């Protein structure tokens, strides 16, 4: 049989014959009640946060990338991504393939919502920020939905990068291959006076 409705299923079987039956007490059998439940829909959501720069000169912009994926088996309903930006960064803008993005300047945080995300599908959210203060930047993002999630360990992602005053390269190779051909000190433009000394070691 196929379960078609939620509830208790009770079933009784009766056997009869034209021939007289001396023991009718065993002609009836009732099975134990079967509880029929709705199948609980599940969607394993995951999120991974990264950035286009790990070391960022102060007063320069960089971009966070959030990859949201539904690993299934069912569609995730009302997906919500929450992120509070670090106090050393300032929000600039965003872009995304789908969903509704809302930034709150008071709390320096954003919410991104999507009505549904099919199993096996993924969406990227790009958030551009300004490196406002020197120091380590630790940022944590979470994703959730109204659909039951069997694996919660991948619902958060933490990324750490560093805002630097100066980034001085320790090697350069001016050989014309367009890789490290020039010696460039990132962040040097934030100081009006500077001096470099070249020594033969």
């Amino acid at each position: 049989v196929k379960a078609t409705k939620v509830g208790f299923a009770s079933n009784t079987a009766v056997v009869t014959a034209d021939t007289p039956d001396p023991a009718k007490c065993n002609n009836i059998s009732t099975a134990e009640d079967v509880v029929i439940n709705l199948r609980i829909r599940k969607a394993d959501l995951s999120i991974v946060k990264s950035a286009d720069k790990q070391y960022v000169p102060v007063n320069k912009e960089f971009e966070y990338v959030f990859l949201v994926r539904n690993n299934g088996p069912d569609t995730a309903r009302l997906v919500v991504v929450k992120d509070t930006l670090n106090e050393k960064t300032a929000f600039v803008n965003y872009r995304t393939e789908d969903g509704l993005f809302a930034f709150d300047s008071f709390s320096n945080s954003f919410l991104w919502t999507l009505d549904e995300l099919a199993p096996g599908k993924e969406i990227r959210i790009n958030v551009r920020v300004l490196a406002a203060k020197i120091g380590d930047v630790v940022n944590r993002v979470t994703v959730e939905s109204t659909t039951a999630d069997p694996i919660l360990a991948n619902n958060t992602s933490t990324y750490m990068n560093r805002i630097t005053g100066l980034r001085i390269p320790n090697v350069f190779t001016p050989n014309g291959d367009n890789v490290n051909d020039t010696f460039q000190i990132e962040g040097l433009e934030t100081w009006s006076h500077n001096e470099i000394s070249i020594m033969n070691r």
Side-chain angles (χ1 to χ4, degrees):
V1 296
K2 180 180 180 180
T4 58
K5 293 182 180 180
V6 176
F8 294 95
S10 181
N11 187 261
T12 299
V14 180
V15 62
T16 61
D18 293 337
T19 306
D21 192 331
K24 293 185 178 181
C25 61
N26 59 2
N27 288 25
I28 298 177
S29 179
T30 301
E32 293 184 6
D33 286 351
V34 176
V35 181
I36 301 173
N37 292 321
L38 283 173
R39 184 177 73 86
I40 299 176
R41 296 189 177 275
K42 297 179 181 180
D44 175 24
L45 285 177
S46 65
I47 189 165
V48 176
K49 181 176 184 176
S50 59
D52 61 348
K53 297 182 182 71
Q54 189 172 7
Y55 296 95
V56 188
V58 68
N59 296 325
K60 293 291 184 180
E61 294 181 5
F62 68 98
E63 193 168 81
Y64 285 121
V65 180
F66 304 84
L67 180 62
V68 183
R69 180 176 173 81
N70 180 5
N71 302 301
D74 298 308
T75 297
R77 309 287 182 183
L78 192 58
V79 180
V80 179
V81 172
K82 302 176 182 178
D83 189 295
T84 299
L85 298 176
N86 190 279
E87 69 276 3
K88 296 181 179 68
T89 60
F91 175 78
V92 177
N93 56 40
Y94 78 95
R95 70 179 188 277
T96 182
E97 306 161 28
D98 200 357
L100 180 64
F101 185 96
F103 178 74
D104 180 13
S105 58
F106 180 76
S107 61
N108 202 30
S109 64
F110 73 83
L111 281 178
W112 175 85
T113 57
L114 184 68
D115 289 339
E116 61 180 36
L117 185 62
K121 297 293 184 180
E122 61 184 27
I123 287 183
R124 283 179 173 81
I125 311 164
N126 297 70
V127 177
R128 195 157 191 83
V129 297
L130 175 70
K133 297 179 181 179
I134 296 172
D136 291 334
V137 178
V138 180
N139 195 253
R140 181 173 177 267
V141 64
T142 62
V143 64
E144 60 186 17
S145 77
T146 55
T147 306
D149 195 326
I151 303 174
L152 297 177
N154 55 9
N155 287 40
T156 62
S157 181
T158 302
Y159 186 83
M160 185 178 78
N161 57 353
R162 178 174 293 178
I163 300 174
T164 61
L166 288 176
R167 188 183 181 198
I168 305 174
N170 59 4
V171 64
F172 78 111
T173 55
N175 56 8
D177 64 353
N178 294 323
V179 179
N180 297 326
D181 275 343
T182 60
F183 182 81
Q184 180 181 359
I185 301 176
E186 295 182 12
L188 191 63
E189 65 276 7
T190 59
W191 279 267
S192 57
H193 302 285
N194 52 77
E195 179 179 323
I196 184 169
S197 299
I198 301 173
M199 294 169 285
N200 182 356
R201 61 180 178 181

